[in-house]
Amino acid sequence: MNANVAADRAELAASTFLSRSHQLLIGGKWVPAASGATLEVLDPSTGKALAEIAAGGSAEVDAAVRAARRAFQAAPWAKLRATERARLLYRLADAVESRADEIAWLESLDGGNPIGSVRHVDIAMAIESLRTSASLADKITGETQLSAPQGEGVGYFLREPIGVAGLITPWNAPFLMAVNKIGPALAVGCTVVLKPAELAPLTALRLGELISEIGFPEGVVNIVTGLGPEAGQALSHHPDVNKISFTGSTRVGKSILAAAAGNMKRVTLELGGKSPIIVLPDADLERAANAIAQEICFKTGQFCAAGTRLLVHQSIHDELTERIAARMSSIKVGPGTAPGTQMGPIISQKQLDRVLGYIAAGSAQGAQIVSGGKRIDRDGFFVEPTLLVRASAGMSLMQDEVFGPVLGVSAFSDAGDLDHIATLANDTQYGLSAKLWTRDLRSAHQLARKLQAGQVIINGGGGDGRLPFGGFKQSGLGREGGREGALSFTEIKSVSIGY
Ligand code: NDP
């Protein structure tokens, strides 16, 4: 099909979705909030209303949890063989793939990210993630061992589905985050209640439609849109939820951990980051500059694992920062669905103000803006990609998760003192990801060991969604992705049998 025709069809399908009313998926039915309350969803590229969603609260969360519990305990879901769960997940992956352009269009409108990157990164990864989950469904097993030397018995352990899982997702990669949680939970036999972020909830609702269409039993997947402090909080406090899987800010992650103590819910938290990028003098500067500039503009910097603190050896500082500044200032900024856009808007006015606040604070504290630094004068929530040099470790810019296209740079002098370099890199409360550029294998391996991060990316190594992902320190608890992610939705039960 001609690319323009495909784009027109995707846009039309997305508009058809937008024209429908957006309700809550509870027990297999689409229903409004009992109060009739709704929330407006804005297009961040214009600041204008895009859609209205139902504002669910504690009553709707309770109904959704009860539906999920019924589905968990009863046929058909409770009796379904693992291979049948896999078959449903493969069908969901196929359904998403056949509507990938439409979903990408919708997500690009809702979150503002460039349509090409949404289609070829987020949606492509979501399809792969669903297929990975499907492939794991019948491979999550326990182990057996002879429990006594004379063979008087046998012991084994089972991995059972944890039960009802509450899934709370953010707005920066809403479709992928929903799929990354729903897929493994269903693969192992759990049922779920998803609470998408109010700022970008639309593709999660579209996913809910596909889930209903392809034949998942009623109540296996429930979706309650609403405000975090209402619907999200009700879910994390609910006494009949066995696990919460949350992605978002460290602040809310802590409140979820506290709420989970009520009934000792299992918790997976994927939280914020302030990831260092270390560039040693022997690095390939052209490749490094391209990748660093591209990464800080990916999702307009609203990306938990983004490299946001550049630590560069002083001998290459000027050359590297000049190259990065040139790349950043050539990035085409615009609405996500506009042709040629390479970076979209920030998600909301509140987040834009926050980003501008960090740039102003960095500048006031002595960092020097060498590229960008300002709001872009047009409708919507746009900011220039911004590079600040002479940013020191104590600045808020170098400590807090800014969640915008803002890169702070600091230089170090002794390229051989890996302990000192690691100390600089580890000097925040976070530990999600760390990036390293060097051609020296010895330094690469030694630094990888010294960095306090759940992920170390050397020379731009491509991400693999099947690798475990999560944080050290205040970047989270537990891991998502691949087998580790699926295991996190199981409980272990040991069984000993005497002959
Ligand atoms: P939040 O952590 O507030 O939002 C993430 C999710 O949690 C959303 O679904 C939100 O709902 C929900 N939520 C909010 N409050 C509660 C609560 N009390 N109990 C349960 N759920 C809740 O992120 P923000 O949208 O406020 O963004 C602020 C900052 O968080 C960003 O600047 C960034 O630093 C960080 N962040 C990190 C992300 C990551 O990928 N690690 C993703 C998003 C944000 P709702 O949106 O409907 O209120």
Side-chain angles (χ1 to χ4, degrees), residues 39 168-173 177 195-200 225-237 246-253 255-256 270-273 302-305 347 350-351 354-355 400-404 430 432 475:
L39 297 167
I168 303 178
T169 49
W171 40 263
N172 56 337
M177 293 296 126
K195 206 302 279 177
E198 135 232 2
L199 291 173
T225 50
L227 295 172
E230 293 172 16
Q233 197 164 322
L235 191 58
S236 57
H237 280 270
F246 169 80
T247 300
S249 62
T250 296
R251 180 185 66 79
V252 174
S255 77
I256 283 171
E270 203 274 271
L271 308 177
Q302 304 165 117
F303 160 46
C304 55
I347 190 73
K350 185 174 161 205
Q351 285 291 126
R354 194 181 128 100
V355 171
D400 299 348
E401 185 174 51
V402 174
F403 240 47
Y430 297 112
L432 191 55
S475 285

Side-chain angles (χ1 to χ4, degrees), residues 104 107-108 111-125 170-177 200 203 293-306 331 333-334 336 341-348 351 355 381 383 402-406:
E107 181 133 316
S108 179
N113 291 306
I115 179 92
S117 97
V118 175
R119 171 68 186 83
H120 298 293
V121 180
D122 293 68
I123 310 302
M125 285 180 75
W171 40 263
N172 56 337
F175 191 79
L176 180 59
M177 293 296 126
T203 51
Q294 205 174 6
E295 180 167 311
I296 195 66
C297 295
F298 177 63
K299 292 192 182 294
T300 321
Q302 304 165 117
F303 160 46
C304 55
I331 297 266
V333 183
T341 291
Q342 294 170 309
M343 188 181 98
I346 294 283
I347 190 73
S348 66
Q351 285 291 126
V355 171
F381 313 122
V383 63
V402 174
F403 240 47
V406 181

Side-chain angles (χ1 to χ4, degrees), residues 25-29 60-79 163-164 189-193 217-222 240 242:
L25 179 60
I26 300 179
K29 314 229 164 9
E60 289 77 13
V61 165
D62 188 52
V65 172
R66 280 191 276 114
R69 176 61 60 191
R70 278 195 302 276
F72 179 70
Q73 287 172 341
W77 185 249
K79 301 259 190 254
V164 174
C190 292
T191 57
V192 306
V193 178
E218 288 178 0
V220 168
V221 176
N222 304 274
D240 202 27
N242 303 98

Side-chain angles (χ1 to χ4, degrees), residues 21 46 125 143 193 228 232 257 275 298 342 347 359 363 365 383 462:
S21 82
T46 61
M125 285 180 75
E143 287 176 17
V193 178
L257 199 55
S275 303
F298 177 63
Q342 294 170 309
I347 190 73
I359 297 172
S363 176
Q365 289 161 9
V383 63

